[in-house]
Amino acid sequence: MSAPAERLRSPDADRRVGETWTEAPHPVLVVDRHGGLLRINEAARHLLPAAVSGDWLHERVPAWLADAHQRISDGLRRTSAGPLTGIINDRLFEAHPTEAGDGDVVWWLADETERREAETALGNAQRRSEILSEVSSALLSTLNVPRCMEVAASMAAEHLAEAAVLVAPPQGRRYALTYARQGGPTTQVTRRVDISGVPGLSEALQGFPPVPARWINPDDIPDWVIPHDFAAPVGSVIVAPLPGHGVPAGALILLRSSTERAFTEGEEIFARLFAARAGAALSAARLYSEQAAITATLMRELLPPKLGSVHGVEYGGGYRAAKEQERVGGDFYDVHPGADTTEETLVVLGDVAGKGLEAAVLTGKIRNTLHALLPLAGDHQHLLDLLNSALLTSHHTRFVTLVLASVRRHAGRVRIRLTSAGHPAPLVVRADGSVTEVPARGSLVGVLPRVKATTVEVVLAPGESCLLYTDGITEARGGPLGDELFGERRLRRALADCAGMPAEAVVERVQMLVGQWLGPARHDDMATVAITAPRSAPAVVAGGHPRGRTRPRSRGQDSRRTP
């Protein structure tokens, strides 16, 4: 093979290739079929300063370009096959071959470094945006704090590092820790740890900006930070705060082993974005948990009590809110036992105008007011007047209907003083199955300056019951066509079959029949209380809060007796 210098082309070769190539902004190499450099332009000289016309191509360019030219010369590749990509002087180039005649090839080299870097950055940004969207969706899908911590740590280990440790705010001197390993299970523990051993962790838990990863020496990381199945030595660490709503939600520690590359500056920024999403979700979950706990505490005070046997008298209660998803409403009942068998037990059943939470709030206030007035409960009229005054002076515009029952067992029978204030009259179920209405009438509470009410006394023989109920029972609309009221007639017929039943069974039967009558139809709040004289011997006192003294009946109280 002759020396490349002997094959230098005359100026006619430039005309065949095209004269503009010499001034092209991209490096251009003209190479003959044997791999000898014929001409290079000014841009190519800057890229390959040692290359001159007459050199061999393979001596001046990387192997990928020399091999590609040889394949074209050997007929194994066409110039129309498209560009090739490779590295020249640490830069990424696309090489575009063009035939120039006589087997010569013109190689146009385009620097693709910036474009590829931009494409890579855009791809990373899109991928990270997808990850953040996935993280937000996964974290906000649960309001359970432990589950939210598990998801955050697991996704951090999956997308950001080889392992992650989520440190929750301290509970006294203990910290809730959630460990996650890439591809492994997530574990949660609560223990006492020394957070001062991790640079920046104390500050992160207080919501301060993170410490750069390059400032953290992996060798100084304490053992409690490293998951038990993290075998390789720690090579790189990120500590990022979890910002919350007003208060920090914790901190996130990311770990990479020494066999992996260290965290880059871009990955640190992405870790902070991830931590911000996780912190917001954790803060929302904690806020929900706190509110749920407060609601549950308040709800317990609004729920009707469980009833049983008190001073030898059986009590049964049933309640169903207007909406199935709500547990409280405007109907209520309470049983306040006397201190001993010589004192009367006060039973209250009421119905606040309206339904739902707003009515339940007023219900709670009325129940608390009645509880405070228990020392005066011997005089029903006085008690109703005081409650009426309290409602008239409050900001509420709702009213309430009530029925009061003072109950005491004596000589095997149960004596009940009943006072109604705008409420449906109680019904008595006798031992023979007959059902009679107690003629107790009265006006609404919370409307007029004075409440008008009458008090009637009834006596229950063993096996007989007195049913107190709200209008949600009789006004329950249903039946075959869904538009007929349950009515008092059906209620009486249902009670006729309850002769001799325990109080709880009476209530269950009434609630069951009304529920079947309703079907899926809407209804009002429904409450029932049954007072039963048991057939057996007096039972032991169950539950209740004694009031401390017997309440005498007021002389001015309107009283009537029914046998």
Side-chain angles (χ1 to χ4, degrees):
M1 182 181 294
S2 59
E6 298 177 1
R7 297 191 307 280
L8 295 179
R9 293 286 195 256
S10 66
D12 293 338
D14 292 344
R15 286 191 292 272
R16 289 197 300 272
V17 174
E19 296 181 357
T20 57
W21 71 272
T22 58
E23 300 177 358
H26 302 292
V28 181
L29 308 174
V30 182
V31 188
D32 65 18
R33 70 179 63 186
H34 304 292
L37 277 172
L38 300 180
R39 298 291 298 273
I40 60 176
N41 69 349
E42 188 63 27
R45 290 191 182 92
H46 286 289
L47 177 64
L48 304 169
V52 296
S53 299
D55 287 347
W56 293 109
L57 180 67
H58 69 271
E59 293 177 347
R60 301 304 179 196
V61 300
W64 66 268
L65 182 56
D67 292 342
H69 180 79
Q70 186 62 45
R71 290 175 64 82
I72 291 175
S73 299
D74 294 342
L76 301 177
R77 178 183 173 87
R78 294 182 175 275
T79 55
S80 59
L84 294 92
T85 303
I87 301 296
I88 301 177
N89 293 345
D90 298 326
R91 304 285 292 181
L92 180 69
F93 282 87
E94 274 191 357
H96 301 260
T98 303
E99 294 182 1
D102 293 336
D104 296 344
V105 177
V106 180
W107 287 97
W108 306 80
L109 306 179
D111 192 338
E112 295 292 304
T113 305
E114 282 78 9
R115 183 176 70 85
R116 289 296 180 89
E117 288 177 349
E119 289 178 350
T120 301
L122 179 60
N124 290 338
Q126 291 176 335
R127 186 172 64 256
R128 290 173 178 175
S129 178
E130 292 172 356
I131 292 173
L132 290 177
S133 177
E134 179 185 353
V135 167
S136 296
S137 177
L139 290 174
L140 295 177
S141 65
T142 176
L143 291 174
N144 179 277
V145 175
R147 176 58 183 162
C148 194
M149 294 172 64
E150 285 185 356
V151 172
S154 177
M155 297 192 77
E158 180 69 25
H159 298 294
L160 302 179
E162 290 180 83
V165 183
L166 194 150
V167 184
Q171 303 170 2
R173 297 184 178 182
R174 301 172 68 84
Y175 293 83
L177 308 174
T178 304
Y179 294 89
R181 184 80 162 82
Q182 194 175 78
T186 302
T187 58
Q188 291 184 315
V189 297
T190 300
R191 62 175 64 162
R192 294 184 63 173
V193 295
D194 183 10
I195 62 172
S196 63
V198 183
L201 179 56
S202 177
E203 292 78 5
L205 288 171
Q206 299 176 59
F208 291 105
V211 173
R214 63 181 181 275
W215 291 6
I216 302 176
N217 184 0
D219 296 334
D220 295 337
I221 297 299
D223 293 339
W224 67 263
V225 175
I226 305 172
H228 70 277
D229 55 350
F230 195 84
V234 177
S236 186
V237 181
I238 289 179
V239 177
L242 298 174
H245 301 295
V247 295
L252 183 65
I253 305 175
L254 303 176
L255 306 174
R256 278 185 182 168
S257 65
S258 56
T259 58
E260 297 290 326
R261 62 182 176 81
F263 290 108
T264 64
E265 184 177 354
E267 288 173 328
E268 286 192 65
I269 295 174
F270 180 56
R272 296 173 197 169
L273 295 175
F274 179 98
R277 302 288 180 96
L282 278 170
S283 183
R286 287 199 177 97
L287 180 61
Y288 173 81
S289 297
E290 292 173 0
Q291 292 178 339
I294 293 173
T295 301
T297 301
L298 296 176
M299 189 73 72
R300 282 195 296 269
E301 296 300 318
L302 296 177
L303 291 174
K306 293 183 179 180
L307 305 184
S309 179
V310 178
H311 298 323
V313 182
E314 292 182 358
Y315 298 92
Y319 176 77
R320 180 175 177 179
K323 296 181 180 179
E324 297 298 331
Q325 68 272 20
E326 295 179 352
R327 301 174 61 194
V328 295
D331 289 6
F332 66 95
Y333 59 81
D334 278 306
V335 173
H336 303 281
D340 51 44
T341 56
T342 63
E343 290 195 4
E344 293 177 323
T345 292
L346 179 67
V347 181
V348 181
L349 184 136
D351 182 0
V352 173
K355 56 178 71 72
L357 185 59
E358 186 175 352
V361 171
L362 180 56
T363 294
K365 292 184 177 181
I366 292 173
R367 292 174 68 185
N368 290 335
T369 302
L370 289 172
H371 193 276
L373 296 174
L374 284 178
L376 306 176
D379 187 340
H380 289 184
Q381 182 65 55
H382 188 39
L383 182 68
L384 292 173
D385 287 339
L386 291 174
L387 177 61
N388 187 63
S389 298
L391 290 180
L392 290 175
T393 56
S394 70
H395 67 279
H396 292 283
T397 58
R398 298 174 183 267
F399 59 86
V400 61
T401 66
L402 284 173
V403 58
L404 305 176
S406 292
V407 185
R408 183 164 61 93
R409 182 175 177 128
H410 178 69
R413 293 175 175 265
V414 174
R415 297 184 177 274
I416 309 175
R417 290 189 298 111
L418 291 161
T419 303
S420 176
H423 202 83
L427 298 175
V428 175
V429 185
R430 296 301 181 184
D432 59 0
S434 61
V435 179
T436 59
E437 180 182 287
V438 179
R441 297 289 185 271
S443 59
L444 303 175
V445 181
V447 177
L448 301 174
R450 180 172 173 80
V451 177
K452 295 181 179 181
T454 58
T455 299
V456 178
E457 183 174 304
V458 298
V459 178
L460 302 180
E464 296 181 342
S465 299
C466 178
L467 182 73
L468 316 181
Y469 63 95
T470 59
D471 58 10
I473 297 293
T474 53
E475 295 179 3
R477 194 176 296 275
L481 299 179
D483 60 350
E484 187 176 357
L485 298 180
F486 187 74
E488 186 176 331
R489 181 173 58 84
R490 287 188 179 84
L491 178 58
R492 286 171 174 261
R493 192 162 58 241
L495 289 175
D497 297 330
C498 297
M501 287 187 179
E504 187 175 343
V506 174
V507 169
E508 287 183 359
R509 178 166 177 77
V510 171
Q511 293 278 356
M512 179 189 70
L513 292 176
V514 175
Q516 292 174 347
W517 181 258
L518 279 171
R522 294 182 179 180
H523 59 86
D524 198 358
D525 299 325
M526 297 184 292
T528 52
V529 171
I531 306 169
T532 302
R535 294 181 180 274
S536 59
V540 180
V541 176
H545 302 281
R547 297 190 297 277
R549 64 187 181 91
T550 305
R551 296 176 299 279
R553 186 185 300 123
S554 171
R555 291 184 179 179
Q557 191 170 359
D558 182 9
S559 301
R560 287 183 291 172
R561 246 178 233 281
T562 62

